[in-house]
Amino acid sequence: MQLKVKTVLNAVQHFPGFVFQDVRLLNERDDPPRLEVTLVPHAGRLARCSHCRQPAPGYDQLPPRAWLFVPLWGLVTHFIYTARRVNCPAHGVIVEFIPWSTGKRPVTIAMMCFLSRWARRLSWRETAQVFGTSWECVYRSVEWFVDWGLAHRKLENVQAIGVDEIHWGRSKGADCFLTVIYQIDGHCRRLLWVGKRRTQATLRRGLAALGDDVVRGLRFVCSDMWRPYLNVIADKAGQALHVLDRFHITTHLNQAVDQVRRAESGRLRATASAQADRLKNLRWKLLRCGSRVRGKARQQLNALAASKLATARAWILKETFQPFWRYRSTTWAGYFLSVWTERTLRSRLEPMKKVARMLRSHEDLLMNWFKAKGEISSGAVEGLNNKIRVVTRRSYGFRTFEAMEMALYHTLGRLPEPDEFTHRF
Ligand SMILES: [Zn+2]
């Protein structure tokens, strides 16, 4: 017996009340071959109202429509169906319920899920190319998939969140920043919310989107020392322990070291000193955690440390801050902090002094790190930020903020997925 395509279709996509009538290979001269699958209603079954899904008497028929289906053997495949209208006692004359369709979209649910899942592994443009469809079609599919996921996700037991700003795009304008809210609990790390800009209003919108129950249930909030965020967090989630996390403070220290290095390198170049080039090559070594630098790079750093350069002093200050994170006792950590800031404020290195002043003015929040120790992961925010950069770097394909927003929820939101009629693709 020959295996029929209809048999395969019934095995993977069975719609009660509908049957696959016909499968045709269209091989017209100028177009690539494609498949058309015709569906008809099951004889003797009433159509259902698309609103309440109850069977209802037929009213009339609409013109035939086509829905894009998952490509079979690489061929572009369409479902063709002539939808009926029913006269529902509750909802009047209305189009029937069509299980593979979401209404207006000319793409089957199976295909939208199929494209969405591939769009996590390939760029949207590649996804469109490989499966013979358009960027727009991939975008709309992901949009539907993400909307479904956001509508069905559960925000229970969210205890720790991280709030951060991300730069994207080419300019430094306010619209080129995103505010992101992550869940950073041990049992679940995901993107909860993303919004344009990094103002108080942005974060207020984000927390409102999560809902009062979630915000009231928070135990820890991690963020940078960005003033608008500090204000909103104190106002909205006052019960949670607000922690300035290690990742951000290390970033500030690194930036300060780099500013010192650049300024000094410029001064040295002006006097045609050979050390200018040496400093230039040290950039990445200076920014890594000192204990992780080995071999030749280590020797270069040691030579630098022995020199009288400002960069060397800045780097040593950065490195001597690291033991701070290892304290168990808040008292001793506080003592360490005051010694370190005193020393740094006497260093005559303005960028380093700026960090020291910032740490001193946020000492309370900084000390919360020790109260939250063991309860929140310091690497979670950094890890999620890195993943976001991977997505936004693909942003050449995202023509709008909305498209990128979709892509971020799609890849980092851990959203639930529809599996009705789709689980086999
Ligand atoms: Zn109805």
Side-chain angles (χ1 to χ4, degrees), residues 48-56 86-92 94:
R48 289 162 188 276
C49 162
S50 56
H51 198 276
C52 61
R53 302 204 183 173
Q54 294 303 311
V86 296
N87 196 350
C88 173
H91 303 102
I94 187 169

Side-chain angles (χ1 to χ4, degrees), residues 44 111 172 188 227 232 259 378:
M111 181 58 163
K172 284 275 174 196
C188 184
R227 177 48 63 189
V232 176
Q259 277 173 26
S378 62

Side-chain angles (χ1 to χ4, degrees), residues 263-273 276:
E264 185 166 48
S265 163
R267 284 196 304 275
L268 291 170
R269 210 170 300 127
T271 62
S273 161

